[in-house]
Amino acid sequence: MPPGSALQAAREAMRLADVDPARVLPLAPLVVGDASGDAAAQALAEQAWGYALAQTGQVSEAVTHLRRAVRLGVGKAAAESRMKLAFALVQQGRAASALREVDLAVPVLGARARGQRAVILYHLGHLDDAFADYQSAERALRRSGDRLALQRILVNRGILQAERLNFAAAVKDLLEAERLARELGRDLVVGIIAENLGFVESRRGDVPAALAHLDRAEEIIAHHGGQLAPVLEDRAELLLSVGLVGEAREHASQAISAFRAEGRQLKVPETRLLLADAALLASDWAAAGKYARAALAQFTRQGRHHHAALARATVLRAALSAGKPCRISDPDGMIAALAGRPAAVVQAHIDLALVAERRRQEARAVSHLGIASRARSGGPATLRARGWYAEALLRQRTGPRSALAAARRGLRVLDENHAALGAGDLRAHSALHRADLASLGLRVALGTGRAADVFEWAERGRASRFLHRSVRPPDDPELASLLPQLRATVAELELARAEGRPAVKLEHRQVDLERRIKNRSRLLRATAGGPAEPVRPSELDLGDRVLVQFIEIDGCLLALTIVDGRLTLRGIGTVAEVSGLLERVPFALRHLAKRPRPDVRKLLHATAAKLDELLLPRADRPLVVVPTGVLHGVPWSTLPSCRGKPVVVSPSATLWHTAANRPARARTFAVASGPGLPGAEEEARAVADIHQTANPPDATVDEVLKILGTAGTVHLAAHGRLNPDNPLFSALSLHDGPLVVYDVQRLDQVPETVIMAACDVGRSVVVAGNELLGLAATFLERGASQLIASVVPVPDAATKELMIAVHRRLRDNLPPARALAEAQEELGEPNGFVCVGA
């Protein structure tokens, strides 16, 4: 090889390692081999090889080659290798060793090495020292004109600024870094910066913006063969911030596996802490403690005392939640070590206040709560809400009215922040973060003994997204194009299965389309909405109706009854007792529909009588029922005191009040049926004849969406499916595929009354905060006033006569609840249909 060519090849390899590291890996052994005998070229080639390995996640191998580069190099070349070696060592979790290497490079490389030292100090939790190094390095690099080093400094300082909640400064740094990276042709780094922008927006609480950045980051990083584990970690943290615990756990677990595979042990305990936080939100205290203790042990081995304090705080919270003894030897030291992490500091003060209360150290508890409550005045919504929670705990000592006012302020902060979310699942699951405030308010209200206070806080703690003014995601061309693709794929998949053809590719395509639809919908912001106050008992115009509002607290059920304006609160029993009884009802209904047997009928009657005695007041009047938890699935018409009586089920009294006072629309009727359902077409024809309306043959999703957007009352006779794992893909089967929740969400208007003669679609998936997800819940959220559907699986053939009886009464202008009650009484057979809404 001609003299100098080996060094030139090594320089080219170094350039490629920075912009496209995956391309270097197959070339690196050849470049190193060709440089044999030329120490300078060989040192640079080893450095390029090690850096490319580190960039693509092969950290252990990177350390080997970078150490070799340090030994071979002299002066500036050795210092450059030490810088990259320090980067790899810190990824392994060997921060102290990394700090030694970078300190040796500082005298040679100056500002660039100080910038690298700042990264290590950040990982060690020395945020002030890291920030000082960043500031010094930035000034020097701007003077020298070293754009590459400046770009790196700006990325890392932006992350630190986000940790300190200086979001505007963080975004400014990252956007300048992105501009520099583009100018320098560092396309992979553009993806890494997009990931960091997602992290910043996640901390700020702008979920759609964060998701958009992370989607862009994943696409760019994957294209260039970079490391996707950080994107998985950031996505897990973001999903956790809106209560999507299951998805967050899945992404965090994938991130841990990827970090381990890449040899990046530094990040493993940090992601374990995310798993601990997810377990806390899922009330799995044992798992939370296990993950936090494992993270603590690893942080301690890595010498990361700041992060160890985070883990100790999580261990403490898990023990507190589980009611176990809490041992903490140096609480002040733990708080000091958390400096620079405002959310962690606030939560630690709240937890230490609870520990102090257990130990009857009142002054210490008040001191901790006072410090935590200061967070209510600034920062992201979740931080301010925690500050109001601490303030409410503090005010309990002076009086319930003041405590309830603070809790209301905290809920308002969260509700205003989440009002911009366009995706129904994000709005529903984000209610998980309301739980502490709503529970505190309910406990304080119960302590006052005032039923009106209990009613208010029971309303504030349930179905909060139904308290928002009508929310509709904006039109989105990409989402609109994905939904027909999903329908076509599902239709093709069902045909392939019916014909016995292989369907694996189609199944994978369906999963991919559902993922893309879900992810796309989460990028959208709501075009209307905003939180509204819950209705007061005095505002409810119940007439001769009785309202029963059910409340769950500490594993027990309570019932608050309103009769003629009088509120009465009574205990019912344990949730476990009622759940055990409820499990028998759908079993009995299914068996009776297939083959009536005296023993099954006796079981149903005995169970229904017991539930009736436990749940309902003795009043022969129409009922408005506001369920909680397991009670959302009760087929109320099977209970003796409900037979023949109008019963309306509503997610909240506020929703009932809104729907009941909505101006009535002209009663125009529309009918449609789906395929593969015995008797569906005949049922649809009979209903269409009653109302003298059209019954389109082979109705497609677009045709049904058109009638849903124009008719006042719509009857749908089709196969229905509740998807408990992914409720926004709950569906009605039509002739060209499924009509899913996302289709309904995009409608400008929904019918006043929807009747779904379909198995199981009246049920909704109940998530934290008594939030509901599914087709029925979406129709109500979008503005339907009444919905008739079944909350238990029912035989298809059993619905025809009931639906005909209902529609004859609707034709005669009876309200839907009364029409259903009289039709059920006429037929005399118990079934699972309920009227939801008003």
Side-chain angles (χ1 to χ4, degrees):
M1 180 176 289
S5 59
L7 185 59
Q8 185 60 38
R11 285 172 178 158
E12 176 61 15
M14 191 66 234
R15 186 191 69 79
L16 274 178
D18 194 46
V19 297
D20 196 353
R23 284 180 58 193
V24 173
L25 297 180
L27 303 174
L30 301 175
V31 176
V32 169
D34 290 343
S36 180
D38 184 339
Q42 197 171 358
L44 187 58
E46 290 283 3
Q47 184 188 136
W49 195 352
Y51 188 43
L53 286 164
Q55 290 276 78
T56 55
Q58 301 170 69
V59 180
S60 296
E61 295 90 336
V63 168
T64 299
H65 289 281
L66 290 169
R67 286 199 186 282
R68 201 173 291 157
V70 170
R71 288 196 301 270
L72 289 167
V74 293
K76 187 176 178 181
E80 292 280 2
S81 295
R82 288 188 190 281
M83 286 260 291
K84 291 174 175 59
L85 175 59
F87 171 78
L89 288 169
V90 83
Q91 295 303 312
Q92 284 188 316
R94 298 161 67 186
S97 297
L99 201 56
R100 285 193 295 272
E101 294 292 341
V102 83
D103 280 342
L104 290 171
V106 168
V108 180
L109 298 177
R112 289 179 52 234
R114 282 200 299 276
Q116 185 75 349
R117 183 171 64 190
V119 174
I120 299 166
L121 290 168
Y122 165 81
H123 284 298
L124 285 170
H126 305 316
L127 302 190
D128 290 340
D129 292 340
F131 189 72
D133 265 353
Y134 283 139
Q135 296 294 85
S136 172
E138 183 219 5
R139 289 191 294 268
L141 292 170
R142 287 192 188 279
R143 286 194 301 269
S144 70
D146 188 339
R147 294 191 300 159
L148 176 59
L150 177 61
Q151 177 259 299
R152 289 169 173 156
I153 288 288
L154 291 171
V155 170
N156 294 319
R157 189 177 68 180
I159 297 168
L160 189 150
Q161 295 277 31
E163 292 279 11
R164 292 179 151 191
L165 309 185
N166 297 326
F167 299 118
V171 170
K172 182 181 177 183
D173 277 351
L174 290 170
L175 290 179
E176 184 181 358
E178 182 173 352
R179 177 180 61 78
L180 288 170
R182 290 184 186 280
E183 291 174 0
L184 294 165
R186 306 185 75 207
D187 294 336
L188 172 60
V189 175
V190 170
I192 294 169
I193 293 169
E195 177 240 319
N196 288 317
L197 283 165
F199 167 77
V200 172
E201 296 300 347
S202 175
R203 288 294 173 92
R204 179 153 45 186
D206 190 337
V207 177
L211 285 169
H213 284 306
L214 292 177
D215 284 351
R216 182 166 67 99
E218 185 171 358
E219 181 180 350
I220 296 170
I221 293 171
H223 178 73
H224 290 281
Q227 304 160 20
L228 286 172
V231 180
L232 291 168
E233 181 192 23
D234 286 344
R235 198 181 290 277
E237 184 173 356
L238 177 62
L239 293 171
L240 209 55
S241 76
V242 287
L244 288 162
V245 174
E247 289 186 49
R249 275 178 165 169
E250 181 182 343
H251 282 80
S253 297
Q254 290 173 359
I256 287 174
S257 298
F259 282 135
R260 281 176 171 159
E262 295 165 0
R264 301 178 69 188
Q265 294 301 321
L266 179 86
K267 302 294 290 183
V268 171
E270 293 178 29
T271 316
R272 274 207 178 108
L273 271 188
L274 276 180
L275 286 174
D277 288 338
L280 284 170
L281 287 176
S283 300
D284 188 348
W285 320 128
K290 181 186 77 172
Y291 288 129
R293 285 190 295 273
L296 174 59
Q298 199 164 355
F299 284 138
T300 303
R301 287 195 299 271
Q302 292 175 350
R304 300 167 71 192
H305 304 299
H306 168 76
H307 289 80
L310 279 172
R312 285 193 188 92
T314 307
V315 170
L316 172 64
R317 191 153 67 255
L320 269 172
S321 302
K324 293 183 176 180
C326 300
R327 302 179 184 87
I328 179 157
S329 58
D330 183 14
D332 295 334
M334 184 180 77
I335 293 289
L338 293 174
R341 304 281 180 112
V345 170
V346 169
Q347 186 60 54
H349 277 297
I350 292 172
D351 292 337
L352 289 170
L354 296 176
V355 172
E357 285 180 350
R358 282 188 182 183
R359 297 172 179 174
R360 300 184 180 180
Q361 299 169 336
E362 182 66 11
R364 183 176 288 274
V366 167
S367 174
H368 283 301
L369 291 175
I371 296 170
S373 69
R374 296 172 193 163
R376 69 190 189 279
S377 59
T382 50
L383 182 63
R384 283 181 283 131
R386 291 313 280 171
W388 279 112
Y389 177 68
E391 179 70 9
L393 289 171
L394 193 60
R395 291 186 187 183
Q396 275 188 280
R397 291 155 172 78
T398 57
R401 303 257 73 80
S402 180
L404 292 176
R408 284 189 200 98
R409 291 288 297 274
L411 288 178
R412 185 83 184 179
V413 167
L414 290 174
D415 292 343
E416 287 175 349
N417 182 63
H418 293 147
L421 297 175
D425 59 343
L426 295 187
R427 289 198 305 279
H429 285 282
S430 65
L432 186 62
H433 295 287
R434 305 172 84 255
D436 281 347
L437 282 160
S439 178
L440 173 61
L442 181 57
R443 290 176 193 282
V444 173
L446 286 166
T448 68
R450 295 185 70 249
D453 287 344
V454 177
F455 177 89
E456 176 196 344
W457 282 93
E459 282 293 290
R460 290 189 185 278
R462 75 173 79 241
S464 63
R465 72 191 178 111
F466 290 118
L467 301 185
H468 286 239
R469 300 175 187 91
S470 180
V471 173
R472 176 187 179 276
D475 286 324
D476 180 71
E478 184 173 336
L479 187 59
S481 70
L482 289 170
L483 289 167
Q485 293 179 51
L486 175 65
R487 279 193 279 281
T489 299
V490 172
E492 190 178 349
L493 175 60
E494 290 176 351
L495 180 62
R497 286 170 174 165
E499 295 175 352
R501 291 187 281 114
V504 175
K505 288 185 178 179
L506 290 170
E507 289 170 351
H508 288 166
R509 190 193 306 169
Q510 179 185 355
V511 170
D512 179 62
L513 283 167
E514 288 182 351
R515 179 188 61 81
R516 291 169 64 191
I517 289 168
K518 178 177 66 179
N519 290 346
R520 183 65 190 177
S521 75
R522 289 175 177 176
L523 300 179
L524 306 180
R525 298 177 187 275
T527 54
E533 285 295 296
V535 69
R536 295 185 181 93
S538 60
E539 296 172 329
L540 292 170
D541 184 12
L542 291 168
D544 66 341
R545 303 176 190 87
V546 174
L547 184 142
V548 186
Q549 181 194 66
F550 293 100
I551 302 161
E552 181 180 338
I553 189 163
D554 296 332
C556 294
L557 286 170
L558 308 172
L560 196 156
T561 303
I562 304 180
V563 183
D564 297 329
R566 294 189 303 275
L567 281 71
T568 307
L569 184 66
R570 64 183 178 88
I572 292 174
T574 67
V575 174
E577 178 186 4
V578 174
S579 297
L581 289 168
L582 282 174
E583 288 172 2
R584 304 175 192 173
V585 176
F587 165 83
L589 287 174
R590 282 196 301 271
H591 280 74
L592 285 174
K594 292 177 182 176
R595 188 179 64 178
R597 285 169 38 192
D599 58 330
V600 176
R601 191 177 298 277
K602 183 178 179 181
L603 172 67
L604 178 61
H605 287 167
T607 303
K610 180 63 174 172
L611 286 168
D612 196 289
E613 180 184 350
L614 284 171
L615 300 176
L616 296 178
R618 306 276 74 81
D620 189 22
R621 298 189 185 188
L623 285 173
V624 177
V625 177
V626 181
T628 185
V630 296
L631 298 181
H632 282 287
V634 174
W636 295 95
S637 66
T638 62
L639 274 56
S641 64
C642 294
R643 288 175 192 160
K645 181 190 302 180
V647 179
V648 170
V649 182
S650 186
S652 72
T654 305
L655 178 67
W656 179 87
H657 173 72
T658 301
N661 288 280
R662 198 173 280 139
R665 288 161 54 185
R667 271 207 170 178
T668 56
F669 291 87
V671 181
S673 61
L677 189 64
E681 289 187 17
E682 187 180 348
E683 176 187 311
R685 281 197 300 271
V687 171
D689 288 344
I690 290 170
H691 300 296
Q692 298 296 296
T693 190
N695 175 29
D698 301 333
T700 65
V701 170
D702 284 342
E703 288 172 330
V704 171
L705 289 174
K706 183 177 180 180
I707 65 173
L708 285 171
T710 54
T713 298
V714 173
H715 178 95
L716 301 172
H719 267 305
R721 180 176 61 90
L722 175 70
N723 187 333
D725 297 322
N726 208 341
L728 296 194
F729 288 102
S730 298
L732 288 172
S733 295
L734 297 170
H735 287 272
D736 63 338
L739 183 154
V740 297
V741 168
Y742 293 102
D743 291 304
V744 177
Q745 287 179 337
R746 298 181 62 246
L747 290 170
D748 288 322
Q749 176 178 276
V750 297
E752 181 179 49
T753 303
V754 179
I755 300 168
M756 294 192 287
C759 179
D760 218 19
V761 289
R763 282 197 305 134
S764 296
V765 174
V766 184
V767 298
N770 271 303
E771 298 291 339
L772 306 178
L773 287 171
L775 269 172
T778 302
F779 275 114
L780 294 173
E781 184 189 17
R782 294 290 301 114
S785 294
Q786 302 93 19
L787 183 138
I788 293 176
S790 178
V791 294
V792 296
V794 291
D796 303 323
T799 65
K800 176 189 168 187
E801 295 305 320
L802 176 66
M803 292 297 104
I804 290 172
V806 166
H807 278 280
R808 284 175 179 156
R809 289 164 172 82
L810 291 177
R811 179 191 58 193
D812 296 336
N813 288 321
L814 262 66
R818 183 169 291 280
L820 176 62
E822 290 187 5
Q824 288 171 326
E825 183 74 356
E826 176 188 327
L827 296 179
E829 282 295 320
N831 59 62
F833 280 87
V834 297
C835 181
V836 185

